[in-house]
Amino acid sequence: MRAVLLLLLFLTIPVCAFAAPQEPQTLTFEEVIDGATIVASGKTVALWGVKALDPADPASFAANLYLETMLKRGVLSCDEMSANGDRQVMHCYSDGADVGSLMVQMGLARAADPYYQAEEAYAQAQHRGIWHPRRGTPL
């Protein structure tokens, strides 16, 4: 009996290990809620690894505009990372470019996850967006 159970165990391990990964979803962009949250295909999508700027921050308008422009132009595909009620956390790409990474690199969002720490350090070093020393000064 033990041998049969061990055989069944060893036969199921490869099946579990090679389960097909979830395919990315192609979504239709609808609107920007903030620099880290969008509505696409009727779903509220929180961008994975990204924290939006405070709405009172003058750069938040630029962040929303940049995100909207980027998502209106390309094909939006997202991998679901987790779901919380009607809000899904997704890792999204626009024409293959990582949306969260671009937002953080441009200094228009903060890294909420260690995954984007290098992008945030780059934006700081380049004085981009929220990292610009003289934000808000007229041109």
Side-chain angles (χ1 to χ4, degrees), residues 37-135:
T37 312
I38 62 171
V39 177
S41 297
K43 303 174 185 183
T44 302
V45 176
L47 298 175
W48 175 75
V50 176
K51 187 167 55 172
L53 304 178
D54 186 295
D57 189 317
S60 69
F61 177 76
N64 295 351
L65 188 59
Y66 179 77
L67 183 58
E68 181 178 343
T69 302
M70 177 177 22
L71 297 180
K72 277 185 175 178
R73 295 180 138 199
V75 174
L76 180 64
S77 63
C78 301
D79 296 314
E80 186 174 329
M81 304 303 278
S82 67
N84 184 4
D86 63 339
R87 183 182 177 124
Q88 295 177 307
V89 177
M90 302 183 101
H91 194 172
C92 294
Y93 302 86
S94 178
D95 282 344
D98 186 332
V99 174
S101 175
L102 290 173
M103 291 296 290
V104 175
Q105 284 179 49
M106 295 304 294
L108 298 173
R110 302 285 311 260
D113 188 88
Y115 189 79
Y116 292 129
Q117 290 300 313
E119 286 87 341
E120 189 168 279
Y122 175 78
Q124 286 177 348
Q126 297 296 313
H127 304 290
R128 290 184 168 181
I130 59 172
W131 309 111
H132 193 279
R134 294 188 313 243
R135 283 190 313 142

Side-chain angles (χ1 to χ4, degrees), residues 8-48:
L8 286 173
L9 177 66
F10 285 117
L11 290 176
T12 58
I13 289 173
V15 172
C16 295
F18 294 108
Q22 188 176 11
E23 289 293 315
Q25 300 174 34
T26 300
L27 303 177
T28 302
F29 170 73
E30 295 172 23
E31 71 175 301
V32 171
I33 295 174
D34 62 32
T37 312
I38 62 171
V39 177
S41 297
K43 303 174 185 183
T44 302
V45 176
L47 298 175
W48 175 75

